[in-house]
Amino acid sequence: QLQASGGGLVQAGGSLRLSCAASKRTYSSWVTGWFRQAPGKEREYVAAIRQNSGNTYYADSVKGRFTISRDSAKNTVYLQMNSLKPEDTAIYFCAGGSYYDTSPSGYRSWGQGTLVTVSS
């Protein structure tokens, strides 16, 4: 139901845009969140967006650098990542849930991850 894409290798200071495509049925009723997981670390919250209102939320670690947005016509949520740092290196996942939550357990549907590697 969710398909994440757009990861890759980028130098520090660079940008990437991740995409998360969802089926129309689930897209309109969900909150879509982005999470990331670095090797040996727990999955952590990055950002989220409410599909109906467009309200956005960010983790402090990415605020001002990342932007989450949606394209309702394409049933797609994006994560624009600017000023990337080596510590942003992780597998990034998109997830869908009924309510806004910063915990992975609050989301019931997950896409496969996409790897983002930021070189120094």
Side-chain angles (χ1 to χ4, degrees):
Q1 291 182 321
L2 296 171
Q3 182 80 22
S5 62
L9 174 63
V10 64
Q11 289 187 331
S15 299
L16 279 175
R17 188 178 78 160
L18 306 183
S19 299
C20 177
S23 64
K24 183 176 181 180
R25 175 183 177 184
T26 53
Y27 175 87
S28 62
S29 63
W30 280 8
V31 172
T32 301
W34 283 99
F35 290 79
R36 65 188 182 186
Q37 188 165 16
K41 295 187 177 180
E42 294 186 352
R43 192 166 298 189
E44 68 170 351
Y45 165 76
V46 175
I49 186 167
R50 294 184 187 274
Q51 305 296 16
N52 289 340
S53 66
N55 288 349
T56 58
Y57 310 88
Y58 299 93
D60 288 342
S61 59
V62 305
K63 199 172 294 183
R65 299 188 299 123
F66 291 10
T67 302
I68 189 170
S69 62
R70 74 196 195 293
D71 184 334
S72 298
K74 297 182 178 179
N75 301 330
T76 300
V77 170
Y78 302 99
L79 184 69
Q80 177 67 43
M81 305 186 296
N82 299 329
S83 302
L84 282 162
K85 305 174 182 180
E87 52 263 44
D88 293 318
T89 295
I91 299 174
Y92 284 70
F93 301 87
C94 62
S98 298
Y99 305 98
Y100 169 65
D101 200 332
T102 59
S103 170
S105 62
Y107 295 79
R108 64 179 182 271
S109 296
W110 290 81
Q112 90 292 349
T114 185
L115 177 62
V116 172
T117 304
V118 184
S119 62
S120 58

